Amino acid sequence: YSKLLESQRKIYLTGLFQSVFIRPQPSARGDSTQKDILVELKENMSGEFNVALGYGSIEKAIGRLEVYNNNLGGTARKLGFNAEMSFINRLLGVSFSEPWTFGTPWRTDLNLTVEYKEEPGYNLDRAGGQITLGRKFDEQLNFTVTYRHEDVRLSDVQVAEIPGELSSNTRSFKFSIIYDTRDNLFNASRGTYAELSDEVGIFFADQNSLFNRLSGKYKYFLPMSDATTLATGLELG
Protein backbone atom coordinates (compact mmCIF):
# COMPACT_ATOMS: atom_id res chain seq x y z
CA TYR A 1 0.00 0.00 0.00
CA SER A 2 2.86 2.39 0.74
CA LYS A 3 4.17 1.84 -2.79
CA LEU A 4 0.76 2.73 -4.22
CA LEU A 5 0.82 5.99 -2.23
CA GLU A 6 4.32 6.73 -3.49
CA SER A 7 3.17 6.14 -7.08
CA GLN A 8 0.28 8.54 -6.49
CA ARG A 9 2.71 11.18 -5.18
CA LYS A 10 4.99 10.78 -8.22
CA ILE A 11 2.08 11.30 -10.61
CA TYR A 12 0.92 14.40 -8.71
CA LEU A 13 4.44 15.84 -8.85
CA THR A 14 4.37 15.89 -12.65
CA GLY A 15 1.90 18.78 -12.35
CA LEU A 16 -0.15 17.29 -15.21
CA PHE A 17 -3.11 15.95 -13.22
CA GLN A 18 -5.62 17.55 -10.87
CA SER A 19 -6.75 14.25 -9.36
CA VAL A 20 -5.07 10.85 -9.02
CA PHE A 21 -6.71 7.77 -7.50
CA ILE A 22 -4.85 4.44 -7.25
CA ARG A 23 -6.49 1.45 -5.59
CA PRO A 24 -6.36 -2.35 -5.78
CA GLN A 25 -9.19 -4.32 -7.38
CA PRO A 26 -10.01 -8.04 -7.40
CA SER A 27 -8.07 -9.79 -10.15
CA ALA A 28 -9.91 -10.01 -13.45
CA ARG A 29 -8.42 -13.50 -13.88
CA GLY A 30 -10.11 -14.70 -10.69
CA ASP A 31 -6.79 -15.33 -8.91
CA SER A 32 -7.41 -14.60 -5.22
CA THR A 33 -3.66 -14.25 -4.55
CA GLN A 34 -3.32 -11.29 -6.92
CA LYS A 35 -4.84 -7.83 -7.34
CA ASP A 36 -5.33 -5.57 -10.32
CA ILE A 37 -4.32 -1.93 -9.79
CA LEU A 38 -6.83 0.67 -10.97
CA VAL A 39 -5.38 4.12 -11.76
CA GLU A 40 -7.90 6.92 -12.35
CA LEU A 41 -6.54 10.23 -13.60
CA LYS A 42 -8.05 13.60 -14.40
CA GLU A 43 -5.76 15.83 -16.41
CA ASN A 44 -5.19 19.50 -15.75
CA MET A 45 -5.91 21.87 -18.60
CA SER A 46 -2.67 22.00 -20.57
CA GLY A 47 -3.15 25.53 -21.92
CA GLU A 48 -2.72 28.64 -19.82
CA PHE A 49 -3.30 32.26 -20.83
CA ASN A 50 -2.54 35.16 -18.48
CA VAL A 51 -2.96 38.91 -18.99
CA ALA A 52 -1.90 41.55 -16.47
CA LEU A 53 -2.33 45.32 -16.60
CA GLY A 54 -0.93 47.77 -14.10
CA TYR A 55 0.44 51.21 -13.38
CA GLY A 56 3.67 52.33 -11.72
CA SER A 57 5.03 55.76 -10.90
CA ILE A 58 8.15 55.08 -13.00
CA GLU A 59 6.93 52.52 -15.55
CA LYS A 60 3.57 54.27 -16.10
CA ALA A 61 1.29 51.83 -17.94
CA ILE A 62 2.42 48.21 -17.66
CA GLY A 63 1.16 45.23 -19.67
CA ARG A 64 2.12 41.56 -19.46
CA LEU A 65 1.04 38.60 -21.57
CA GLU A 66 1.81 34.92 -20.91
CA VAL A 67 0.85 31.88 -22.98
CA TYR A 68 1.82 28.37 -21.86
CA ASN A 69 1.15 24.80 -22.90
CA ASN A 70 2.23 22.41 -20.13
CA ASN A 71 1.54 19.16 -21.96
CA LEU A 72 2.29 19.37 -25.68
CA GLY A 73 0.55 16.50 -27.44
CA GLY A 74 0.30 14.57 -24.18
CA THR A 75 4.12 14.26 -23.95
CA ALA A 76 4.63 16.45 -20.82
CA ARG A 77 6.76 18.79 -22.92
CA LYS A 78 6.20 22.44 -22.00
CA LEU A 79 6.31 25.50 -24.22
CA GLY A 80 5.82 29.06 -23.01
CA PHE A 81 5.85 32.61 -24.33
CA ASN A 82 5.79 35.82 -22.31
CA ALA A 83 5.94 39.50 -23.24
CA GLU A 84 6.05 42.61 -21.08
CA MET A 85 5.83 46.25 -22.08
CA SER A 86 5.87 49.58 -20.26
CA PHE A 87 7.09 53.10 -21.00
CA ILE A 88 10.65 52.11 -19.95
CA ASN A 89 10.83 48.37 -20.57
CA ARG A 90 10.20 45.86 -23.36
CA LEU A 91 10.76 42.14 -22.83
CA LEU A 92 10.18 38.96 -24.84
CA GLY A 93 10.80 35.47 -23.50
CA VAL A 94 10.44 31.88 -24.73
CA SER A 95 10.77 28.71 -22.65
CA PHE A 96 10.78 25.00 -23.50
CA SER A 97 11.01 21.93 -21.30
CA GLU A 98 11.77 18.35 -22.39
CA PRO A 99 11.26 15.81 -19.56
CA TRP A 100 12.92 12.87 -21.34
CA THR A 101 15.94 14.09 -23.32
CA PHE A 102 16.99 11.78 -26.19
CA GLY A 103 15.24 8.85 -24.54
CA THR A 104 17.17 9.26 -21.25
CA PRO A 105 15.83 10.22 -17.79
CA TRP A 106 17.45 13.67 -18.04
CA ARG A 107 15.26 16.78 -18.08
CA THR A 108 16.20 19.77 -20.26
CA ASP A 109 14.87 23.29 -19.67
CA LEU A 110 15.64 26.11 -22.13
CA ASN A 111 14.88 29.81 -21.53
CA LEU A 112 15.59 32.65 -24.00
CA THR A 113 15.08 36.36 -23.23
CA VAL A 114 15.43 39.64 -25.11
CA GLU A 115 14.99 42.90 -23.17
CA TYR A 116 15.33 46.64 -23.68
CA LYS A 117 15.14 48.95 -20.67
CA GLU A 118 15.54 52.71 -20.23
CA GLU A 119 17.16 53.41 -16.87
CA PRO A 120 17.67 56.97 -15.51
CA GLY A 121 21.41 56.91 -16.29
CA TYR A 122 21.62 54.55 -19.26
CA ASN A 123 19.74 52.35 -21.71
CA LEU A 124 20.13 48.58 -21.46
CA ASP A 125 19.95 45.94 -24.20
CA ARG A 126 20.03 42.38 -22.88
CA ALA A 127 19.83 39.14 -24.85
CA GLY A 128 20.62 35.62 -23.76
CA GLY A 129 19.32 32.55 -22.08
CA GLN A 130 20.12 29.52 -20.05
CA ILE A 131 19.88 25.78 -20.47
CA THR A 132 19.44 23.40 -17.54
CA LEU A 133 20.05 19.65 -17.59
CA GLY A 134 18.83 17.69 -14.59
CA ARG A 135 18.10 14.19 -13.39
CA LYS A 136 16.34 12.55 -10.48
CA PHE A 137 18.57 9.80 -9.06
CA ASP A 138 16.18 8.42 -6.46
CA GLU A 139 12.90 9.37 -4.82
CA GLN A 140 14.22 12.53 -3.15
CA LEU A 141 17.57 13.42 -4.78
CA ASN A 142 17.95 15.61 -7.89
CA PHE A 143 21.03 16.97 -9.66
CA THR A 144 21.07 19.84 -12.18
CA VAL A 145 23.66 21.77 -14.16
CA THR A 146 22.82 25.13 -15.76
CA TYR A 147 24.72 27.09 -18.41
CA ARG A 148 23.93 30.82 -18.72
CA HIS A 149 24.89 32.86 -21.79
CA GLU A 150 23.98 36.54 -21.57
CA ASP A 151 25.09 39.63 -23.50
CA VAL A 152 24.36 43.09 -22.11
CA ARG A 153 25.06 46.44 -23.77
CA LEU A 154 24.73 49.80 -22.05
CA SER A 155 24.22 52.92 -24.19
CA ASP A 156 23.60 56.64 -23.58
CA VAL A 157 25.46 56.39 -20.27
CA GLN A 158 25.06 59.70 -18.41
CA VAL A 159 27.72 59.29 -15.72
CA ALA A 160 30.91 61.33 -16.19
CA GLU A 161 34.21 59.63 -17.11
CA ILE A 162 32.49 56.43 -18.24
CA PRO A 163 32.39 55.47 -21.94
CA GLY A 164 29.14 55.98 -23.78
CA GLU A 165 28.86 52.24 -24.48
CA LEU A 166 29.75 49.28 -22.25
CA SER A 167 29.32 45.51 -22.31
CA SER A 168 28.80 43.25 -19.32
CA ASN A 169 28.47 39.75 -20.75
CA THR A 170 28.18 36.69 -18.52
CA ARG A 171 29.05 33.01 -19.05
CA SER A 172 28.49 30.59 -16.20
CA PHE A 173 27.73 27.03 -15.10
CA LYS A 174 25.49 26.30 -12.12
CA PHE A 175 25.45 22.97 -10.31
CA SER A 176 22.58 22.05 -7.96
CA ILE A 177 21.75 19.15 -5.66
CA ILE A 178 18.12 18.94 -4.53
CA TYR A 179 16.53 16.80 -1.81
CA ASP A 180 12.72 16.83 -1.94
CA THR A 181 10.20 14.88 0.16
CA ARG A 182 7.18 17.22 -0.28
CA ASP A 183 3.84 15.51 -0.79
CA ASN A 184 2.76 18.03 -3.45
CA LEU A 185 4.90 20.19 -5.72
CA PHE A 186 2.53 23.19 -5.82
CA ASN A 187 0.62 23.00 -2.52
CA ALA A 188 2.75 21.08 -0.05
CA SER A 189 1.31 20.15 3.36
CA ARG A 190 4.21 18.06 4.65
CA GLY A 191 7.82 17.27 3.78
CA THR A 192 11.19 18.91 3.28
CA TYR A 193 12.87 20.72 0.38
CA ALA A 194 16.63 21.34 0.45
CA GLU A 195 18.80 22.72 -2.34
CA LEU A 196 22.52 23.45 -2.52
CA SER A 197 23.81 25.21 -5.65
CA ASP A 198 27.10 26.66 -6.84
CA GLU A 199 27.45 28.97 -9.87
CA VAL A 200 30.90 29.48 -11.40
CA GLY A 201 31.43 31.85 -14.29
CA ILE A 202 33.11 34.82 -15.95
CA PHE A 203 31.79 38.38 -15.98
CA PHE A 204 33.10 40.37 -18.96
CA ALA A 205 33.26 44.04 -17.98
CA ASP A 206 36.42 46.17 -18.09
CA GLN A 207 38.34 42.93 -17.70
CA ASN A 208 37.51 39.26 -17.32
CA SER A 209 36.41 38.62 -13.74
CA LEU A 210 35.87 35.14 -12.36
CA PHE A 211 33.07 34.76 -9.84
CA ASN A 212 31.66 32.03 -7.64
CA ARG A 213 28.22 32.16 -6.03
CA LEU A 214 27.25 29.52 -3.45
CA SER A 215 23.68 29.41 -2.13
CA GLY A 216 21.46 27.11 -0.13
CA LYS A 217 17.70 26.83 0.44
CA TYR A 218 15.75 24.90 3.04
CA LYS A 219 11.96 24.60 3.37
CA TYR A 220 9.97 22.57 5.86
CA PHE A 221 6.21 21.91 5.79
CA LEU A 222 4.34 20.66 8.86
CA PRO A 223 0.57 19.92 8.86
CA MET A 224 -1.13 21.55 11.86
CA SER A 225 -4.68 20.50 10.91
CA ASP A 226 -6.65 19.48 7.83
CA ALA A 227 -6.83 23.14 6.70
CA THR A 228 -3.60 24.59 8.12
CA THR A 229 0.05 23.99 7.25
CA LEU A 230 3.07 25.54 8.94
CA ALA A 231 5.59 26.44 6.20
CA THR A 232 9.10 27.65 7.01
CA GLY A 233 11.96 28.69 4.73
CA LEU A 234 15.62 29.68 5.00
CA GLU A 235 17.92 30.90 2.24
CA LEU A 236 21.63 31.67 2.61
CA GLY A 237 24.16 32.71 0.00
Side-chain angles (χ1 to χ4, degrees):
Y1 182 69
S2 63
K3 291 187 176 182
L4 295 184
L5 291 178
E6 181 60 28
S7 296
Q8 183 185 44
R9 173 181 175 270
K10 287 181 180 179
I11 297 174
Y12 265 123
L13 288 177
T14 65
L16 301 177
F17 304 97
Q18 58 179 287
S19 65
V20 180
F21 297 99
I22 302 179
R23 54 179 177 268
Q25 300 277 93
S27 173
R29 295 183 297 273
D31 188 344
S32 61
T33 65
Q34 294 184 341
K35 296 280 189 180
D36 290 338
I37 304 301
L38 177 64
V39 182
E40 295 180 320
L41 307 172
K42 185 177 182 180
E43 290 190 16
N44 282 323
M45 292 182 62
S46 60
E48 184 176 336
F49 179 77
N50 301 313
V51 177
L53 298 174
Y55 178 83
S57 58
I58 297 177
E59 298 92 343
K60 307 303 180 186
I62 307 168
R64 182 173 180 84
L65 172 68
E66 297 176 340
V67 180
Y68 296 102
N69 189 315
N70 296 318
N71 192 12
L72 285 171
T75 63
R77 296 185 178 99
K78 299 180 180 180
L79 179 66
F81 168 82
N82 65 285
E84 185 174 323
M85 180 172 290
S86 70
F87 276 80
I88 66 169
N89 186 46
R90 270 80 77 191
L91 182 146
L92 292 174
V94 178
S95 62
F96 176 76
S97 180
E98 167 59 68
W100 201 260
T101 306
F102 300 123
T104 67
W106 287 85
R107 179 187 183 92
T108 301
D109 296 310
L110 176 65
N111 293 276
L112 302 174
T113 303
V114 177
E115 181 181 22
Y116 173 77
K117 193 170 187 178
E118 297 177 358
E119 295 285 3
Y122 59 89
N123 295 335
L124 180 146
D125 285 288
R126 180 172 67 93
Q130 65 180 33
I131 184 169
T132 299
L133 190 65
R135 178 173 176 177
K136 193 170 186 176
F137 285 95
D138 61 26
E139 302 306 327
Q140 290 86 31
L141 189 63
N142 290 274
F143 173 79
T144 67
V145 56
T146 301
Y147 174 68
R148 178 160 62 109
H149 187 110
E150 186 175 279
D151 292 340
V152 177
R153 185 175 64 88
L154 306 182
S155 60
D156 296 330
V157 179
Q158 302 299 318
V159 181
E161 299 182 0
I162 291 183
E165 185 171 306
L166 295 171
S167 62
S168 56
N169 304 331
T170 304
R171 310 288 184 265
S172 73
F173 283 100
K174 182 179 180 181
F175 302 88
S176 300
I177 296 178
I178 300 168
Y179 178 80
D180 190 358
T181 62
R182 293 173 297 174
D183 59 343
N184 190 295
L185 186 65
F186 302 102
N187 188 24
S189 62
R190 66 177 67 244
T192 299
Y193 177 89
E195 177 182 345
L196 180 65
S197 62
D198 188 39
E199 185 176 11
V200 181
I202 300 178
F203 179 72
F204 300 92
D206 294 336
Q207 57 186 2
N208 295 350
S209 300
L210 292 171
F211 71 88
N212 183 79
R213 177 163 51 193
L214 180 68
S215 62
K217 297 179 183 178
Y218 180 82
K219 299 178 182 180
Y220 180 69
F221 301 88
L222 179 66
M224 307 297 290
S225 69
D226 290 340
T228 305
T229 298
L230 175 66
T232 63
L234 175 67
E235 184 170 352
L236 299 173

